[in-house]
Amino acid sequence: MDDHRTLPRRALLKALALGAAAGALPALPARAQQPEQARNVDAAPQGHAESARQSVPFHGPHQAGITTPRPANGIVAAFDLVLGSLDDFERMLRLLTERAEFLTAGGPVPQRDPKLPPADSGLLGPVISPDNLTITVALGDSLFQNQPWLAGLKPARLQRMVQFRNDALDPSLCHGDMSIQFCANLQDTCLYALRDILKNLSEFVVLRWMVEGSVPPELPGPDGTTPSARNFLGFRDGSANPDATDKAAMDRIVWTGGKDEPQWAHGGSYQAVRIIRNLVERWDRTPLREQERIFGRMKHNGAPLDAPEAGERHVPDYAADPDGTATPHSAHIRLANPRTPDSQKHLMLRRPFNYSRGALKNGQLDQGLLFIAWQADLQAGFIAVQEKLNGEPLEEYIKPIGGGYFFALPGVQPGDYLGSALVTAARRS
Amino acid sequence: MLARQLRSTALALALIGWGGAALAADPSLDLVAPLADYKIYVAENTAKLVEDTKAFTEAVKAGDVEKAKSLFAPTRMSYERIEPIAELFSDLDVSIDARADDFEKAEADDAFSGFHRIEHGLWEKGSTEGLEGYADKLLADVTDLDARINGLTFPPEVVVGGAAVLMEEVAATKISGEEDRYSHTDLWDFDANFEGSQKIYELLRPLIAEKEADFVAKVDGNFKAVDEVLVKYQKDGGYVSYEELTDADRNLLSTKVNTLAEDLSTLRGKLGLG
């Protein structure tokens, strides 16, 4: 991405590729390969000035955090909103925009009289680094249902998430009037931003649920491309994602437009969030070949089963496999995207994180996928694909327990505020 | 008469207690009158707590479950109004007001005592069996609390900070309905916590009203908004079950509580206390 300001990327890639060839790579990127210094245990793990400086512009035609590269950490928090009037809504959106502008750009934290509580949590010290932070704000169906001054302005496809057949939804992990997605290089940066928003917007927001996730950084392959991150089932996730740098594709697949959507909503995107528990112990006791047939991909490299050495980006040829000999018809990737002309209209952009939330009462790990998908049309995207997946063999190993559907507001230009077009439309009606 | 006596004692204690502390002279002097008034308010509440607890524990010991149930929530209110001060005696706070999940073995833990132990017996078991000892202990504890508080010099930062602390209480344990989980009488506690917080704020309000007009307007408005929600749930001089609180009203209370906590947490600084 052009707007993703990384520094000497080419040099880094080259160094990593060389390192990979030599078979002597450390677990961390090359910049950690600094001279060993005697460091005491109380010294913090070494940070990276370069990654701390990275920033994603908050302003633009679309919100950041959707087609911008996914950093290593993310949070989805859902809120109920307490709004007495449209004026309250505008005040909240302006305040939220102001906080997000500061948090994503970074800078010194204002100092207060020490007799007062400090202005912020202090978690990141006196000067905030942008650290690739994005803050993406989306609205839920309940907001439009509950606020009479938003009547008639709901995005056409926005709806309350319904239970699919394999779901076991926990009401305390579902829905919300608003979601905010935080993504950053470090989880502390996301948490800092969340705490800042809770503190500054206490008049309007009640936290409903929040899930933290991360994705493991991957080393670039010999050809310089970075593979998809692995999920907690050990498989690469996102191999068949559309190209987020292809503007035309994103306009078609991700950004909402068209005559059936209200004008204010153009340039936004539907967000499907699903908290999907992975039954990891059981999965790890499943034969490898069966795991691969359930997903339709090789575990070690993510390649489709009909071309096991071709790499994860290789497009499977299902037409040549009508009986499902190589890739079973029930395989996850074949059900989700059968690669027919019709599949094009069901595309979405997945940008998930893995979550780990401690242990369950049964002594098993509470781990899973914080699934996040973005699409121009929620019905044609996530909902249609999930309906195709209903009954898939993977269901034995996964259990969706929460999430919700939201609509990410269009982007914001400097001087304006998030959702201003919606507020203007509401004032007119 | 009692009030006047208390007022002069409080004044003297207040002056002796922190006259020598390293505080700026001016804010301390401004605070003398409100602190003395607050001391009276607390004394009145602890006296009432002893009186009400006596009646409550007598009903428990007499095996009168219905009467004990009817006295449970109103008796607690005098405690909940003055919680920032009561909490200064952490041994008593635990034995009077701890909840089952403060103990590893929860309700099965013998150390689980006080109001919520008795609440558990009355509502979960519908019986006063085995509660006699806890009833005696509760009365002894609140009597002890009353004596200790009457002998206490109120630290000004605790009193001033208490307005926010009461909101923290609501935010942390009341809004979820887990405080009075067997009886669902949480709205009584809400009312008492708000009243206790508002009392402190009202006593201090004249000191800042002129300089902080926006602040007091906002805080006044939020207390008023809370009252408007709570009044909807009043019934027969008390409150309906917490389970009847709608999600929308719970969310509204939650935002008001958190915003009051944010704003009232600046009272100490605004009054020059560190």
Side-chain angles (χ1 to χ4, degrees), chain A residues 261-281:
Chain A
E261 290 287 356
Q263 186 65 36
W264 75 264
H266 290 200
S269 186
Y270 289 94
Q271 179 193 37
V273 181
R274 303 271 288 167
I275 305 165
I276 305 173
R277 180 174 293 159
N278 292 170
L279 309 178
V280 295
E281 290 86 352

PDB file of all heavy atoms in Angstrom, chain A residues 261-281:
ATOM      1  N   GLU A 261     -28.301   1.848  -1.888  1.00  0.00           N
ATOM      2  CA  GLU A 261     -27.757   2.271  -0.591  1.00  0.00           C
ATOM      3  C   GLU A 261     -27.982   3.772  -0.416  1.00  0.00           C
ATOM      4  O   GLU A 261     -27.880   4.532  -1.375  1.00  0.00           O
ATOM      5  CB  GLU A 261     -26.240   2.000  -0.534  1.00  0.00           C
ATOM      6  CG  GLU A 261     -25.870   0.531  -0.471  1.00  0.00           C
ATOM      7  CD  GLU A 261     -26.172  -0.113   0.879  1.00  0.00           C
ATOM      8  OE1 GLU A 261     -26.604   0.603   1.810  1.00  0.00           O
ATOM      9  OE2 GLU A 261     -25.982  -1.341   0.989  1.00  0.00           O
ATOM     10  N   PRO A 262     -28.281   4.216   0.806  1.00  0.00           N
ATOM     11  CA  PRO A 262     -28.421   5.661   1.001  1.00  0.00           C
ATOM     12  C   PRO A 262     -27.123   6.388   0.606  1.00  0.00           C
ATOM     13  O   PRO A 262     -26.023   5.844   0.796  1.00  0.00           O
ATOM     14  CB  PRO A 262     -28.707   5.796   2.500  1.00  0.00           C
ATOM     15  CG  PRO A 262     -28.434   4.465   3.119  1.00  0.00           C
ATOM     16  CD  PRO A 262     -28.466   3.439   2.036  1.00  0.00           C
ATOM     17  N   GLN A 263     -27.289   7.593   0.091  1.00  0.00           N
ATOM     18  CA  GLN A 263     -26.136   8.345  -0.409  1.00  0.00           C
ATOM     19  C   GLN A 263     -25.041   8.490   0.657  1.00  0.00           C
ATOM     20  O   GLN A 263     -23.848   8.371   0.367  1.00  0.00           O
ATOM     21  CB  GLN A 263     -26.621   9.719  -0.885  1.00  0.00           C
ATOM     22  CG  GLN A 263     -25.560  10.569  -1.579  1.00  0.00           C
ATOM     23  CD  GLN A 263     -25.084   9.944  -2.894  1.00  0.00           C
ATOM     24  OE1 GLN A 263     -25.875   9.331  -3.613  1.00  0.00           O
ATOM     25  NE2 GLN A 263     -23.795  10.066  -3.189  1.00  0.00           N
ATOM     26  N   TRP A 264     -25.454   8.729   1.898  1.00  0.00           N
ATOM     27  CA  TRP A 264     -24.448   8.972   2.948  1.00  0.00           C
ATOM     28  C   TRP A 264     -23.524   7.769   3.146  1.00  0.00           C
ATOM     29  O   TRP A 264     -22.404   7.914   3.628  1.00  0.00           O
ATOM     30  CB  TRP A 264     -25.131   9.313   4.283  1.00  0.00           C
ATOM     31  CG  TRP A 264     -25.758   8.123   4.980  1.00  0.00           C
ATOM     32  CD1 TRP A 264     -27.051   7.731   4.928  1.00  0.00           C
ATOM     33  CD2 TRP A 264     -25.094   7.161   5.820  1.00  0.00           C
ATOM     34  NE1 TRP A 264     -27.248   6.581   5.658  1.00  0.00           N
ATOM     35  CE2 TRP A 264     -26.061   6.215   6.220  1.00  0.00           C
ATOM     36  CE3 TRP A 264     -23.780   7.006   6.269  1.00  0.00           C
ATOM     37  CZ2 TRP A 264     -25.763   5.128   7.040  1.00  0.00           C
ATOM     38  CZ3 TRP A 264     -23.471   5.916   7.091  1.00  0.00           C
ATOM     39  CH2 TRP A 264     -24.454   4.998   7.473  1.00  0.00           C
ATOM     40  N   ALA A 265     -24.014   6.576   2.768  1.00  0.00           N
ATOM     41  CA  ALA A 265     -23.286   5.336   3.074  1.00  0.00           C
ATOM     42  C   ALA A 265     -22.248   4.987   2.000  1.00  0.00           C
ATOM     43  O   ALA A 265     -21.472   4.051   2.186  1.00  0.00           O
ATOM     44  CB  ALA A 265     -24.269   4.187   3.252  1.00  0.00           C
ATOM     45  N   HIS A 266     -22.235   5.707   0.915  1.00  0.00           N
ATOM     46  CA  HIS A 266     -21.281   5.378  -0.148  1.00  0.00           C
ATOM     47  C   HIS A 266     -19.850   5.549   0.357  1.00  0.00           C
ATOM     48  O   HIS A 266     -19.510   6.549   0.975  1.00  0.00           O
ATOM     49  CB  HIS A 266     -21.523   6.264  -1.375  1.00  0.00           C
ATOM     50  CG  HIS A 266     -22.805   5.923  -2.084  1.00  0.00           C
ATOM     51  ND1 HIS A 266     -23.058   6.276  -3.384  1.00  0.00           N
ATOM     52  CD2 HIS A 266     -23.903   5.245  -1.663  1.00  0.00           C
ATOM     53  CE1 HIS A 266     -24.264   5.831  -3.739  1.00  0.00           C
ATOM     54  NE2 HIS A 266     -24.800   5.203  -2.705  1.00  0.00           N
ATOM     55  N   GLY A 267     -19.047   4.536   0.077  1.00  0.00           N
ATOM     56  CA  GLY A 267     -17.655   4.592   0.535  1.00  0.00           C
ATOM     57  C   GLY A 267     -17.444   3.929   1.879  1.00  0.00           C
ATOM     58  O   GLY A 267     -16.327   3.876   2.387  1.00  0.00           O
ATOM     59  N   GLY A 268     -18.517   3.415   2.442  1.00  0.00           N
ATOM     60  CA  GLY A 268     -18.392   2.640   3.676  1.00  0.00           C
ATOM     61  C   GLY A 268     -18.201   1.165   3.349  1.00  0.00           C
ATOM     62  O   GLY A 268     -17.929   0.807   2.189  1.00  0.00           O
ATOM     63  N   SER A 269     -18.351   0.315   4.358  1.00  0.00           N
ATOM     64  CA  SER A 269     -18.192  -1.118   4.113  1.00  0.00           C
ATOM     65  C   SER A 269     -18.888  -1.906   5.217  1.00  0.00           C
ATOM     66  O   SER A 269     -18.919  -1.472   6.377  1.00  0.00           O
ATOM     67  CB  SER A 269     -16.706  -1.485   4.087  1.00  0.00           C
ATOM     68  OG  SER A 269     -16.541  -2.840   3.717  1.00  0.00           O
ATOM     69  N   TYR A 270     -19.441  -3.039   4.848  1.00  0.00           N
ATOM     70  CA  TYR A 270     -20.067  -3.907   5.854  1.00  0.00           C
ATOM     71  C   TYR A 270     -19.002  -4.749   6.546  1.00  0.00           C
ATOM     72  O   TYR A 270     -18.159  -5.363   5.891  1.00  0.00           O
ATOM     73  CB  TYR A 270     -21.098  -4.823   5.206  1.00  0.00           C
ATOM     74  CG  TYR A 270     -22.339  -4.093   4.758  1.00  0.00           C
ATOM     75  CD1 TYR A 270     -22.465  -3.631   3.460  1.00  0.00           C
ATOM     76  CD2 TYR A 270     -23.372  -3.849   5.656  1.00  0.00           C
ATOM     77  CE1 TYR A 270     -23.601  -2.950   3.046  1.00  0.00           C
ATOM     78  CE2 TYR A 270     -24.520  -3.170   5.259  1.00  0.00           C
ATOM     79  CZ  TYR A 270     -24.624  -2.723   3.952  1.00  0.00           C
ATOM     80  OH  TYR A 270     -25.746  -2.055   3.564  1.00  0.00           O
ATOM     81  N   GLN A 271     -19.107  -4.780   7.854  1.00  0.00           N
ATOM     82  CA  GLN A 271     -18.167  -5.554   8.659  1.00  0.00           C
ATOM     83  C   GLN A 271     -18.921  -6.730   9.290  1.00  0.00           C
ATOM     84  O   GLN A 271     -19.903  -6.528  10.005  1.00  0.00           O
ATOM     85  CB  GLN A 271     -17.591  -4.660   9.778  1.00  0.00           C
ATOM     86  CG  GLN A 271     -16.609  -5.359  10.698  1.00  0.00           C
ATOM     87  CD  GLN A 271     -16.313  -4.547  11.955  1.00  0.00           C
ATOM     88  OE1 GLN A 271     -17.195  -3.889  12.507  1.00  0.00           O
ATOM     89  NE2 GLN A 271     -15.072  -4.589  12.414  1.00  0.00           N
ATOM     90  N   ALA A 272     -18.439  -7.948   9.008  1.00  0.00           N
ATOM     91  CA  ALA A 272     -18.969  -9.124   9.702  1.00  0.00           C
ATOM     92  C   ALA A 272     -17.902  -9.569  10.697  1.00  0.00           C
ATOM     93  O   ALA A 272     -16.775  -9.860  10.307  1.00  0.00           O
ATOM     94  CB  ALA A 272     -19.278 -10.245   8.719  1.00  0.00           C
ATOM     95  N   VAL A 273     -18.273  -9.566  11.961  1.00  0.00           N
ATOM     96  CA  VAL A 273     -17.341 -10.011  13.000  1.00  0.00           C
ATOM     97  C   VAL A 273     -17.888 -11.308  13.580  1.00  0.00           C
ATOM     98  O   VAL A 273     -19.082 -11.395  13.898  1.00  0.00           O
ATOM     99  CB  VAL A 273     -17.217  -8.975  14.137  1.00  0.00           C
ATOM    100  CG1 VAL A 273     -16.213  -9.445  15.188  1.00  0.00           C
ATOM    101  CG2 VAL A 273     -16.821  -7.616  13.599  1.00  0.00           C
ATOM    102  N   ARG A 274     -17.052 -12.303  13.691  1.00  0.00           N
ATOM    103  CA  ARG A 274     -17.482 -13.578  14.279  1.00  0.00           C
ATOM    104  C   ARG A 274     -16.396 -14.036  15.250  1.00  0.00           C
ATOM    105  O   ARG A 274     -15.210 -14.064  14.905  1.00  0.00           O
ATOM    106  CB  ARG A 274     -17.648 -14.629  13.185  1.00  0.00           C
ATOM    107  CG  ARG A 274     -18.631 -14.193  12.099  1.00  0.00           C
ATOM    108  CD  ARG A 274     -20.040 -14.585  12.402  1.00  0.00           C
ATOM    109  NE  ARG A 274     -20.192 -16.025  12.241  1.00  0.00           N
ATOM    110  CZ  ARG A 274     -21.241 -16.710  12.680  1.00  0.00           C
ATOM    111  NH1 ARG A 274     -22.218 -16.098  13.321  1.00  0.00           N
ATOM    112  NH2 ARG A 274     -21.308 -18.002  12.488  1.00  0.00           N
ATOM    113  N   ILE A 275     -16.814 -14.360  16.444  1.00  0.00           N
ATOM    114  CA  ILE A 275     -15.880 -14.902  17.430  1.00  0.00           C
ATOM    115  C   ILE A 275     -16.040 -16.417  17.344  1.00  0.00           C
ATOM    116  O   ILE A 275     -17.073 -16.959  17.743  1.00  0.00           O
ATOM    117  CB  ILE A 275     -16.200 -14.370  18.839  1.00  0.00           C
ATOM    118  CG1 ILE A 275     -16.228 -12.843  18.827  1.00  0.00           C
ATOM    119  CG2 ILE A 275     -15.198 -14.888  19.857  1.00  0.00           C
ATOM    120  CD1 ILE A 275     -16.881 -12.231  20.062  1.00  0.00           C
ATOM    121  N   ILE A 276     -15.052 -17.061  16.754  1.00  0.00           N
ATOM    122  CA  ILE A 276     -15.193 -18.478  16.420  1.00  0.00           C
ATOM    123  C   ILE A 276     -14.217 -19.301  17.266  1.00  0.00           C
ATOM    124  O   ILE A 276     -13.008 -19.275  17.040  1.00  0.00           O
ATOM    125  CB  ILE A 276     -14.917 -18.717  14.918  1.00  0.00           C
ATOM    126  CG1 ILE A 276     -15.830 -17.820  14.067  1.00  0.00           C
ATOM    127  CG2 ILE A 276     -15.116 -20.194  14.574  1.00  0.00           C
ATOM    128  CD1 ILE A 276     -15.507 -17.856  12.584  1.00  0.00           C
ATOM    129  N   ARG A 277     -14.762 -19.975  18.247  1.00  0.00           N
ATOM    130  CA  ARG A 277     -13.908 -20.803  19.095  1.00  0.00           C
ATOM    131  C   ARG A 277     -13.380 -21.992  18.279  1.00  0.00           C
ATOM    132  O   ARG A 277     -14.109 -22.591  17.492  1.00  0.00           O
ATOM    133  CB  ARG A 277     -14.688 -21.296  20.312  1.00  0.00           C
ATOM    134  CG  ARG A 277     -13.869 -22.155  21.250  1.00  0.00           C
ATOM    135  CD  ARG A 277     -14.639 -22.488  22.506  1.00  0.00           C
ATOM    136  NE  ARG A 277     -14.856 -21.285  23.305  1.00  0.00           N
ATOM    137  CZ  ARG A 277     -15.818 -21.168  24.227  1.00  0.00           C
ATOM    138  NH1 ARG A 277     -16.634 -22.155  24.466  1.00  0.00           N
ATOM    139  NH2 ARG A 277     -15.936 -20.058  24.912  1.00  0.00           N
ATOM    140  N   ASN A 278     -12.119 -22.297  18.452  1.00  0.00           N
ATOM    141  CA  ASN A 278     -11.497 -23.466  17.812  1.00  0.00           C
ATOM    142  C   ASN A 278     -11.320 -24.544  18.874  1.00  0.00           C
ATOM    143  O   ASN A 278     -10.791 -24.267  19.952  1.00  0.00           O
ATOM    144  CB  ASN A 278     -10.110 -23.125  17.252  1.00  0.00           C
ATOM    145  CG  ASN A 278     -10.158 -22.168  16.058  1.00  0.00           C
ATOM    146  OD1 ASN A 278      -9.136 -21.661  15.628  1.00  0.00           O
ATOM    147  ND2 ASN A 278     -11.345 -21.892  15.528  1.00  0.00           N
ATOM    148  N   LEU A 279     -11.764 -25.742  18.572  1.00  0.00           N
ATOM    149  CA  LEU A 279     -11.599 -26.838  19.531  1.00  0.00           C
ATOM    150  C   LEU A 279     -10.225 -27.445  19.272  1.00  0.00           C
ATOM    151  O   LEU A 279     -10.080 -28.474  18.610  1.00  0.00           O
ATOM    152  CB  LEU A 279     -12.726 -27.850  19.357  1.00  0.00           C
ATOM    153  CG  LEU A 279     -14.130 -27.210  19.370  1.00  0.00           C
ATOM    154  CD1 LEU A 279     -15.213 -28.259  19.154  1.00  0.00           C
ATOM    155  CD2 LEU A 279     -14.388 -26.454  20.664  1.00  0.00           C
ATOM    156  N   VAL A 280      -9.212 -26.777  19.780  1.00  0.00           N
ATOM    157  CA  VAL A 280      -7.843 -27.053  19.321  1.00  0.00           C
ATOM    158  C   VAL A 280      -7.324 -28.419  19.763  1.00  0.00           C
ATOM    159  O   VAL A 280      -6.576 -29.065  19.027  1.00  0.00           O
ATOM    160  CB  VAL A 280      -6.857 -25.938  19.740  1.00  0.00           C
ATOM    161  CG1 VAL A 280      -7.227 -24.630  19.052  1.00  0.00           C
ATOM    162  CG2 VAL A 280      -6.822 -25.741  21.254  1.00  0.00           C
ATOM    163  N   GLU A 281      -7.715 -28.859  20.948  1.00  0.00           N
ATOM    164  CA  GLU A 281      -7.209 -30.162  21.398  1.00  0.00           C
ATOM    165  C   GLU A 281      -7.702 -31.265  20.456  1.00  0.00           C
ATOM    166  O   GLU A 281      -6.930 -32.122  20.026  1.00  0.00           O
ATOM    167  CB  GLU A 281      -7.669 -30.463  22.834  1.00  0.00           C
ATOM    168  CG  GLU A 281      -7.009 -29.597  23.903  1.00  0.00           C
ATOM    169  CD  GLU A 281      -7.725 -28.271  24.117  1.00  0.00           C
ATOM    170  OE1 GLU A 281      -8.641 -27.954  23.334  1.00  0.00           O
ATOM    171  OE2 GLU A 281      -7.338 -27.546  25.061  1.00  0.00           O
TER     172      GLU A 281
END
